[in-house]
Amino acid sequence: MTDPQIVLTERVQQALGRAFGQEHADADPLIRPSQFADFQANVAMSLAKRLRRAPREVAEAIKAELSDFPGTVEVSGPGFLNITLDDSWVAAEAGQMLGDPRLGVGTATPPQTVVIDYSAPNAAKEMHVGHLRTTIVGDALARLHEHLGNTVIRQNHLGDWGTPFGMLIEHLLDIGEEAAVAQLEAGMGTEYYQAARAKFDSDEAFKTRARVRVTTLQSGDPETLRLWHVFMDATVRYFNKIYDLLGVTLTDADIAGESMYNPMLQKTCDDLQDSGTAEISEGALCVFPPGFTGSDDKPLPLIIRKSDGGYGYATTDMAAIRYRVHDLKADRILYVVGADQALHFRMVFAGARMAGWLPDTVSAEHVQIGMMLGKDGRRFKTRSGESVKLMDLLQEAIDRATAAIADRGYDERLQKEIAHAVGMGAVKYADLSVSHDSEYVFDFDRMLGFTGNTAPYLQYAQARIRSIFRRGGIDPATATGPIVLGAPAERALALQLLGFGAVVEQTTALSEPHRLCAFLYATATAFTDFFEQCPVLKEGVDPDTRASRLALCALTLQVLETGLNLLGVPVPERM
């Protein structure tokens, strides 16, 4: 089975070739869903100028070449082609989809190695809401690529190196390892950092010790490295609590922090300078990618090594690109990072291509993440103006979900399970359902609502389907049809379901999870209409109709569950 729009695109393009010559066979048929038919093709309007013929005449010529089409084709208006598929074709395709374990989702040909850089909290500070979107979007993309058969290499680029670690390690020594570990594991990284910073700013002796400690850390002193590991291990254990709560697929094996690239930085600078890609400018080693200028119209430098000999983000990112291409054999690299880093990444990618480290055969893409806003339209913060701790936010989501289902009579274990799924699903889906590069307002009331484009609405739709099968004492796997379409709501649901494979592939190719969210919402809405208009188990429904409707329920359940799982949204059996 194939997505109807793909079938129609192929058929109309073949008709274009037969009607006007093969030079026109690759024209975009411009097929869109229509309120007047299933789909509308607008290609006659755009092609008429090239052919110097009236659009309606062009449309009639295309229609004539679609005589064997499994449906009806009508010309309307100035030259639109209104296309309606036969019910029997839609039913047959839905039946094939029900028997396909992949539900019409293809596999990557050839499969690629996709490196995805996401989450990337700063180990020196608390994990806050700013890391939420990068973590959720990146994890959804990883799941999608793996489903298509690509090899996914997750890279959690932790901020785990640099000058702040001198004062952080010295503070650890001052308060003792046990107390430091307890504080970091409890998620008090910000408080820890602030205490160390306060001493650094007010205590000259501490400042001196911290600066010396940075030197010993960078030189590889064994005891300093041991203390660094104590700090990092405790911090990572706390990050893992958040990842577990969110249900993301990152593990310790995926950590590839700044410290990993530290041994490569000198060679990165030397090789860029030796190849002539980088040059000394005002004491700093810089790459000047073409096309980048500052406000003074002078070439904008990508600083690889500062004038004081220090390295920066550009150094590490250049080293990371070379490693990911050369060592990890990446075909595609996705950087799921804040939109405010757009210029930095454009320059890094351009610099890496200048150096020959990022060949044309490898795609490097910045998946830009927009800012999370509060209801007041400003950056999401606490009332005191501080960044909201991510753990506090997630726990509040669970608490609110618990309150929302408190009157449904579930035992404590089941209530806890459902509340977790609803709370985490609400937070994740609210993020994924908007374009990743746009800002969005974080609003618990909206995201936990059981109506509209929310996770609870989708979760409830699949739970409702499961309840149908429970009431009938039927295993969904045994509901195999055959599917026969009678009522308009049956047909609308079946036609909607057929688009699943194409939207998964498109979502993955474009790195835009909101496209899959929109499809799942439309699917749940179509099922709601079907549920209200087409009785399934009601007395008086004949056996063939019941079997067909149960098959449509089973197919809808599979599509909703698979789609939500690809997004990382949990799917509770009851709501």
Side-chain angles (χ1 to χ4, degrees):
M1 64 288 159
T2 312
D3 176 81
Q5 283 191 246
I6 295 176
V7 172
L8 295 179
T9 297
E10 293 174 351
R11 290 293 186 97
V12 174
Q13 286 182 325
Q14 291 167 5
L16 290 171
R18 291 192 296 268
F20 309 116
Q22 287 303 308
E23 66 270 24
H24 298 294
D26 60 350
D28 185 349
L30 300 173
I31 293 172
R32 305 289 184 268
S34 171
Q35 59 179 324
F36 305 109
D38 290 334
F39 299 96
Q40 187 176 81
N42 299 336
V43 64
M45 310 293 289
S46 60
L47 197 57
K49 291 182 180 179
R50 290 168 58 187
L51 296 173
R52 297 183 179 179
R53 295 167 65 175
R56 193 172 178 92
E57 181 186 342
V58 172
E60 291 287 358
I62 298 171
K63 176 185 174 180
E65 296 295 338
L66 290 170
S67 57
D68 63 340
F69 185 76
T72 61
V73 182
E74 299 295 337
V75 177
S76 70
F80 301 119
L81 286 164
N82 287 340
I83 303 170
T84 302
L85 296 158
D86 280 341
D87 289 359
S88 59
W89 185 88
V90 176
E93 292 292 304
Q96 287 187 49
M97 183 177 175
L98 182 59
D100 177 13
R102 292 191 59 79
L103 301 172
V105 180
T107 54
T109 307
Q112 293 185 315
T113 296
V114 183
V115 174
I116 307 181
D117 182 328
Y118 69 103
S119 192
N122 189 336
K125 296 182 180 179
E126 164 66 46
M127 197 169 180
H128 57 78
V129 295
H131 301 110
L132 181 64
R133 299 195 75 186
T134 61
T135 302
I136 290 172
V137 172
D139 207 60
L141 295 178
R143 290 167 182 265
L144 285 158
H145 276 283
E146 285 181 332
H147 191 65
L148 293 189
N150 291 323
T151 297
V152 174
I153 301 176
R154 295 161 173 80
Q155 297 278 273
N156 192 354
H157 194 93
L158 295 184
D160 63 354
W161 199 256
T163 54
F165 281 89
M167 69 180 189
L168 295 174
I169 291 173
E170 286 301 318
H171 184 56
L172 180 147
L173 289 170
D174 284 356
I175 67 175
E177 292 182 28
E178 186 175 339
V181 167
Q183 192 174 4
L184 295 167
E185 285 185 345
M188 300 177 68
T190 297
E191 292 85 346
Y192 183 101
Y193 176 88
Q194 289 172 343
R197 184 77 215 187
K199 283 196 288 187
F200 186 86
D201 291 339
S202 63
D203 186 335
E204 284 299 322
F206 181 87
K207 181 183 291 188
T208 300
R209 283 162 46 205
R211 286 175 170 167
V212 171
R213 185 63 67 178
V214 171
T215 304
T216 60
L217 177 64
Q218 292 175 341
S219 66
D221 171 63
E223 175 59 13
T224 302
L225 285 175
R226 185 191 71 78
L227 294 169
W228 175 79
H229 278 294
V230 169
F231 179 93
M232 282 306 308
D233 291 348
T235 301
V236 168
R237 283 193 291 274
Y238 176 68
F239 290 164
N240 285 340
K241 292 178 185 176
I242 292 177
Y243 294 147
D244 289 344
L245 197 61
L246 278 170
V248 299
T249 55
L250 284 169
T251 68
D252 289 357
D254 303 317
I255 293 174
E258 293 175 355
S259 61
M260 172 181 159
Y261 300 102
N262 195 52
M264 310 177 194
L265 301 186
Q266 182 61 53
K267 182 172 174 54
T268 297
C269 293
D270 292 345
D271 289 351
L272 288 172
Q273 189 168 12
D274 291 347
S275 67
T277 306
E279 60 187 79
I280 300 296
S281 175
E282 298 182 18
L285 183 64
C286 304
V287 173
F288 290 93
F292 294 91
T293 55
S295 57
D296 56 1
D297 291 332
K298 292 182 179 179
L300 201 61
L302 181 68
I303 300 175
I304 305 299
R305 187 179 59 223
K306 302 172 188 176
S307 57
D308 63 3
Y311 304 122
Y313 289 127
T315 330
T316 303
D317 286 333
M318 289 289 282
I321 281 190
R322 180 155 68 164
Y323 170 78
R324 290 166 180 177
V325 173
H326 184 268
D327 294 79
L328 299 182
K329 310 297 183 188
D331 297 302
R332 188 176 179 187
I333 312 173
L334 304 179
Y335 290 79
V336 187
V337 183
D340 56 351
Q341 297 295 311
L343 176 61
H344 168 78
F345 279 108
R346 288 203 307 273
M347 293 186 70
V348 166
F349 298 160
R353 293 206 186 278
M354 285 175 63
W357 296 353
L358 186 60
D360 292 339
T361 54
V362 179
S363 170
E365 304 155 46
H366 178 196
V367 180
Q368 299 184 29
I369 303 299
M371 191 183 301
M372 184 189 295
L373 306 176
K375 288 184 180 181
D376 60 359
R378 299 178 181 179
R379 184 189 287 268
F380 191 62
K381 291 182 178 292
T382 64
R383 289 182 180 178
S384 61
E386 298 175 349
S387 293
V388 178
K389 289 189 176 185
L390 187 48
M391 183 63 86
D392 293 345
L393 188 81
L394 299 181
Q395 188 57 55
E396 183 176 354
I398 294 172
D399 292 344
R400 285 174 177 252
T402 302
I405 62 169
D407 60 351
R408 302 199 176 185
Y410 297 124
D411 61 52
E412 186 177 347
R413 181 197 62 79
L414 187 56
Q415 185 184 64
K416 186 175 181 180
E417 182 181 305
I418 294 172
H420 178 272
V422 171
M424 292 305 93
V427 170
K428 296 177 80 170
Y429 188 84
D431 211 324
L432 295 165
S433 61
V434 297
S435 179
H436 59 70
D437 59 350
S438 66
E439 297 177 336
Y440 90 103
V441 175
F442 190 94
D443 181 356
F444 271 126
D445 293 334
R446 184 190 63 80
M447 66 177 59
L448 283 164
F450 281 77
T451 58
N453 189 12
T454 66
Y457 177 70
L458 297 179
Q459 291 169 324
Y460 182 69
Q462 66 82 34
R464 175 187 274 174
I465 297 171
R466 287 196 170 278
S467 72
I468 292 172
F469 286 103
R470 276 198 305 273
R471 286 201 311 273
I474 303 165
D475 181 350
T478 65
T480 56
I483 294 173
V484 180
L485 303 178
E490 291 176 304
R491 187 183 186 282
L493 177 58
L495 189 61
Q496 168 66 23
L497 291 167
L498 292 180
F500 182 61
V503 81
V504 169
E505 293 170 30
Q506 183 186 53
T507 296
T508 310
L510 299 176
S511 300
E512 294 180 345
H514 73 276
R515 292 178 179 271
L516 178 54
C517 293
F519 174 87
L520 295 176
Y521 175 56
T523 300
T525 301
F527 176 78
T528 298
D529 292 341
F530 163 84
F531 181 81
E532 292 173 351
Q533 299 174 36
C534 302
V536 180
L537 301 178
K538 190 175 180 179
E539 189 175 342
V541 177
D542 68 84
D544 289 345
T545 299
R546 177 176 295 183
S548 174
R549 290 176 178 175
L550 282 169
L552 274 175
C553 288
L555 181 55
T556 306
L557 179 63
Q558 289 185 42
V559 166
L560 288 175
E561 284 194 333
T562 302
L564 289 171
N565 283 328
L566 289 174
L567 294 170
V569 174
V571 189
E573 290 194 11
R574 297 173 186 265
M575 287 284 281

